Every structure is written in structure tokens, then in C-alpha cells.
Amino acid sequence: MFRRTALAAAALLAAGALALTGCTSPAPAPTATGDADPDASVAIRLVLEPGNLDIRETAGAAVDQILVDNIYQGLVSRTPEQDIVPALASDWEVSSDGLEYTFTVREGVTFHDGQELTPQDVVWSLQTRKDTPAWRDSARLANVETIAADGQDVTLTLSEPDSSLLWNLTGRAGIILKQDDTVDYKTAANGTGPFTLTNWRQGDSITFARNEEYWGDKAKVAEVVFDYIPDNQAALNAALAGEVDALTGFDANLTSQVEANGDYQVVLGQSTDKGTLAFNQTSGPLADKRVRQAIRQAIDHDAFVEALASGSTLYGPIPELDPGYEDLSDVAPYDPEAAKALLAEAGEEDLELTLTIPNFYSTTIPQILVSNLNDVGITLEVDQVDFGTWLNDVYTNKDYDLSFVLHTEARDFENWANPDYYFTYDNPEVQRLYQESLAATDETEAADLLAQAAKIVSEDAAGDWLYSGASVVAVGTNITGMPSINVNERLNLAELAKSNG
């Protein structure tokens, strides 16, 4: 049996921190002077507000970004560096055949309503998630045959090995809720995390307060206010007016302005953000691989990194922080002449396509695409829509030609192995390799299988990956503990502190 304890997890955390020495951060995070104020309120600028707060059913990273770790927890969690660490389970064991996972549930944990967390809550939460397709990530527990409690131990028995199970339990699939809770999940919350939800002014802000009954180390600030400010210039103005303490999703081009008076410092961190250009391959010109490859080779990926003043190029579906990453730049190098030749071979002249893009993204992205594609004879019309329209038209109904979205989720290669996903990509070989990676009990073997699958996806020109985004965070110089890695996906504020000086 393999046992990972909290001590071992702490060692992994330290190792993960050391591994980040190659990050693109221009400077270390600010070091505040003065004593931390336990009664402080910290205002954080975010970009995309959730449509509602239902952690069970609502799609979108905006929900996970603030609720997971802060409000809701699972048996295990993950660090920004992607290490798996204990949470509501103090430790766990995995059988040598990979078919049995046994978690020891912590005692003394209470929900925000004061009710004690029991192993039965854990069993109910996981079983209900597995049995309720409408709950997000229900399918991630598909290989779990039984879930049973014995004292403080909860054991998951699998039908076959699943190398992704522990990882899945760090996300929505593993969230532990109170059994048969009657809370209105769309507007309220009842979790076990270090913060409680106290107020939501829709269209404006969400406020958390420190959970004074938290089972672990108490939060270091009394209150966190998430201010939703989609526009970067408006966010900058709010910072310069002293209205916010930290800004996520910041425009690195505005660094000199926000740092001018010495009150803020911009920190660049790694992320799993993937600027993804999706191709609707169901019919028409984009069903032809030559057309898709031509579009890829018409695009100057370096232009996006230069324009955003952050991030790095990416030519495949797996970012550097995730297992299975490899440099695939040779698959689709920037070559407008080769793109023209491919279009001619495909018999496509004067091709007209539409790009559907949520309207909160920078206009720089469509401008570069329009220019690049125009250079090879493709006219690109840009349709900027609100996110709700994008979700309905593109994500749900697959009614689009090209679409751009920044996919922030870590380890989400599964979408390329799902022919029903809005990417519309269907390759049985990729699906087979992905399933084999799940069944692998060796981490290296699983990563190698993912790398093989990702290369096929790139070679098929199933999509294009314009850039790998950086986490760009402007942090007040009196703030410490502000996350700077993968902040668009998860924003764990357990170490956040604000000084008086």
C-alpha cells in the first residue's frame, strides 16, 4: 500500500516551489513592511463574474476560481504548482493494483452552518456526484464502483485503474457537501473552507469573511472583496485610486503605469491558460485538414506573446505545467507561403470565415488574427458576443466557424478525446491513447501516452493554440500571500495578508 501523509505533501510543496525558479516572473512578489493586520479587508480585482454560484452544476472557471479551496474543499487539494496535497483527508492509501483508494477523514471539521462533517457526508457527496450527470465532472468518477465508510476511513473501489482519479478529486468531482443540504447553491454556500460567503452584489462584487471556526489555520485577513472589473483601464484606474489591493488578469503592457508610484508590483507566474482557437470541423472548408493547417501556419504566434507582453508560444493542447507536454512548434511553423499553397491545394480561394469571441477579451487577439489571415487570402469577420451568448451558440450548439477562448483548466486534454465537446474533433486513435493513459498505473507511462495523443491532435490541426498565458497579477506592496501561479483557475487565499505599513 502507498501512503501519503501531510508531512510528505509538505515536502512536495517545498519541491514544487524550488521547481519554479525558471518562471517568467520579472521580480519576486512584494514583501510587505509592518505588521499584518488581522482585521484587514483586501479588495481583489477579477475579470469574469460567475453567472451563479452553484458549484454542483454551473459551468465555467469563474466559479472554481473563487469557491474551490476558499469556500468548498475536497478530500485532497492541489497547489498552484499542481502537486496533490491533503485537505479534508489527513492522508490516504492507494493499493498496489490501483483499484482501491482509502482516505482518512479529519475529525473536528464543521460546515459553515456549524454542522459537523462526517464520513457519511463524504460518501453521499461522491456517490451523488457520480450518480447525477447534471453535476459538473460527474463522469470523472465513472470508474468508481463503490464508496464506503468504515469509521473515519472512506474507501473508493474502482472497476479499473484510473491515473487521473486523485487529480479529479482535487476539483469539482471531489467537492464535499453537507448531505441533503437545503442551501440555495446559486446565491449562497455552505462549505468547510477558511472563508464564508457573506454578500454577493451581482454585477459588482462578492465578499468573503474569515471562517472563525475553520478546522485548520485561520485566514490572515478578516475579509476579501472580489471586485469584478472586466476592463483593464478601469482596473488600472481603480488601483491608482487606491480602491483595490491586487489585480488579477492584468495587462502586462500597463506595468509601468501601475508601478509608477511604488504602491504596486506586477508579478508574472506560470499558468495552464491556453489561448485556444477552435475550428468547427463538422462541415464546410474547416472539415479539410489542409485548410486548418493553412490557418495555423498563417498565424504568427510570437505576435501574441509580444502584444500581450507576457506568456509564451504554444503549439499543442498540453501546456508546460501539465503531464505530457512537449514542444510541438515544428508541427505548424509560421509560414504564410506554405499556408497559401495549402489553401490552393484545397481549392479554397477568397475564403470567408467568422470568428466568435467573448467581448471581454482584448481586441488585440482578433486584430492579429484578421491581419494574419488576410495575408494569405482569408477574410475573417469578428463577432464579439457576451459570454452567455458564447456559451449558448458555441459551447452548447456548436454554431460557429472559428472561436477563441482562454481555457484555464489544468489537465483538460480529455476535451480533445471527447467528440461531443464543442471542439468537434473526433479521432479514435487519440481517444484510445487517452483511455490508456487513464488506465496506466505508472505516472511516466501515463504522461508519455498523453504526449503521443497531443502530438496527433496538433498534427491533425484539430485547433490552434495561440499562446500559453501567464498569470499577470499586480499586487499592492503591503500585501503578502497573494497567489501568482494559475490564478485564473484557482485563487487559494489561505495565506493572504495585509500590513499596516
Side-chain angles (χ1 to χ4, degrees):
M1 302 288 278
F2 173 76
R3 176 172 288 272
R4 174 170 291 172
T5 63
L7 180 62
L12 274 178
L13 237 164
L18 291 173
L20 281 174
T21 54
C23 182
T24 55
S25 174
T31 301
T33 58
D35 296 329
D37 179 5
D39 298 321
S41 175
V42 175
I44 300 175
R45 176 268 183 141
L46 297 182
V47 177
L48 183 61
E49 183 181 15
N52 69 68
L53 304 179
D54 193 340
I55 196 73
R56 303 167 307 169
E57 299 184 4
T58 302
V63 176
D64 304 69
Q65 184 183 34
I66 62 170
L67 296 186
V68 180
D69 295 324
N70 297 315
I71 299 291
Y72 295 109
Q73 298 175 304
L75 293 170
V76 288
S77 186
R78 60 181 184 252
T79 70
E81 297 83 10
Q82 314 301 290
D83 294 320
I84 298 173
V85 294
L88 295 178
S90 58
D91 56 60
W92 66 89
E93 296 177 349
V94 183
S95 62
S96 58
D97 61 6
L99 294 178
E100 195 170 273
Y101 290 68
T102 301
F103 300 87
T104 301
V105 180
R106 296 183 190 273
E107 298 186 66
V109 176
T110 58
F111 289 99
H112 295 161
D113 65 0
Q115 294 295 306
E116 181 182 0
L117 168 75
T118 68
Q120 287 68 39
D121 290 311
V122 174
V123 173
W124 177 85
S125 295
L126 299 179
Q127 190 67 55
T128 305
R129 178 81 58 173
K130 172 179 166 58
D131 296 340
T132 311
W135 284 24
R136 305 294 301 179
D137 292 350
S138 171
R140 293 182 185 272
L141 301 179
N143 289 332
V144 177
E145 277 196 336
T146 61
I147 307 168
D150 180 10
Q152 288 299 118
D153 289 343
V154 172
T155 299
L156 279 62
T157 303
L158 280 61
S159 57
E160 58 186 66
D162 183 350
S163 65
S164 69
L165 179 64
L166 273 178
W167 177 262
N168 290 337
L169 291 176
T170 69
R172 297 240 201 147
I175 291 295
I176 304 304
L177 306 172
K178 191 176 82 170
Q179 183 172 352
D180 299 322
D181 205 346
T182 58
V183 66
D184 181 358
Y185 286 101
K186 291 186 177 182
T187 58
N190 184 28
T192 58
F195 292 94
T196 63
L197 172 67
T198 59
N199 187 36
W200 181 17
R201 297 174 58 194
Q202 295 189 34
D204 182 81
S205 63
I206 292 175
T207 302
F208 290 173
R210 178 170 51 226
N211 176 12
E212 300 293 354
E213 305 303 319
Y214 183 54
W215 59 267
D217 293 336
K218 305 294 188 296
K220 298 178 180 180
V221 294
E223 180 183 78
V224 177
V225 180
F226 300 106
D227 286 323
Y228 289 95
I229 311 174
D231 181 72
N232 264 307
Q233 186 60 52
L236 174 63
N237 293 341
L240 297 180
E243 297 170 355
V244 292
D245 299 292
L247 303 95
T248 69
F250 193 63
D251 184 348
N253 290 292
L254 300 175
T255 295
S256 61
Q257 296 178 54
V258 79
E259 291 184 342
N261 60 11
D263 290 337
Y264 294 86
Q265 182 176 328
V266 172
V267 180
L268 302 184
Q270 287 180 297
S271 83
T272 56
D273 296 357
K274 302 161 289 291
T276 306
L277 184 67
F279 301 147
N280 192 333
Q281 304 161 54
T282 53
S283 62
L286 294 171
D288 190 328
K289 175 183 172 180
R290 294 169 296 183
V291 175
R292 301 195 304 271
Q293 181 72 3
I295 292 173
R296 294 195 71 193
Q297 294 202 247
I299 296 172
D300 180 3
H301 292 75
D302 288 325
F304 291 96
V305 176
E306 293 169 7
L308 296 171
S310 62
S312 58
T313 55
L314 182 67
Y315 295 87
I318 298 180
E320 195 168 356
L321 280 177
D322 283 354
Y325 167 80
E326 64 175 326
D327 182 358
L328 297 173
S329 56
D330 61 339
V331 174
Y334 177 51
D335 191 339
E337 294 306 314
K340 291 177 184 177
L342 283 166
L343 289 171
E345 182 182 326
E348 292 294 345
E349 296 182 1
D350 302 320
L351 183 59
E352 297 182 3
L353 297 169
T354 299
L355 171 72
T356 305
I357 179 172
N359 56 15
F360 51 78
Y361 288 122
S362 167
T363 56
T364 300
I365 293 166
Q367 286 170 355
I368 294 173
L369 290 173
V370 168
S371 177
N372 283 174
L373 296 189
N374 183 67
D375 288 344
V376 299
I378 299 175
T379 300
L380 186 65
E381 179 182 340
V382 179
D383 185 14
Q384 294 183 299
V385 299
D386 64 76
F387 192 57
T389 299
W390 184 91
L391 282 171
N392 181 73
D393 294 353
V394 178
Y395 185 80
T396 302
N397 294 326
K398 305 181 182 70
D399 182 14
Y400 72 99
D401 292 335
L402 302 175
S403 177
F404 174 86
V405 162
L406 188 66
H407 280 265
T408 65
E409 300 84 357
R411 303 195 191 191
D412 61 352
F413 180 81
E414 66 196 47
N415 295 328
W416 298 100
N418 178 8
D420 294 326
Y421 198 65
Y422 86 92
F423 292 156
T424 71
Y425 176 64
D426 187 357
N427 185 314
E429 177 69 3
V430 169
Q431 294 156 26
R432 180 187 66 80
L433 288 167
Y434 176 66
Q435 290 303 318
E436 288 183 4
S437 77
L438 293 181
T441 55
D442 178 78
E443 291 182 2
T444 301
E445 179 187 359
D448 180 64
L449 289 163
L450 284 175
Q452 294 178 46
K455 187 171 184 179
I456 294 172
V457 171
S458 187
E459 290 174 340
D460 279 349
D464 196 26
W465 301 271
L466 306 183
Y467 60 93
S468 179
S471 289
V472 184
V473 186
V475 187
T477 52
N478 61 337
I479 299 294
T480 59
M482 178 67 191
S484 61
I485 303 171
N486 246 15
V487 298
N488 288 334
E489 187 195 27
R490 299 269 279 265
L491 198 59
N492 188 332
L493 301 176
E495 298 299 319
L496 185 70
K498 184 176 182 178
S499 72
N500 295 311

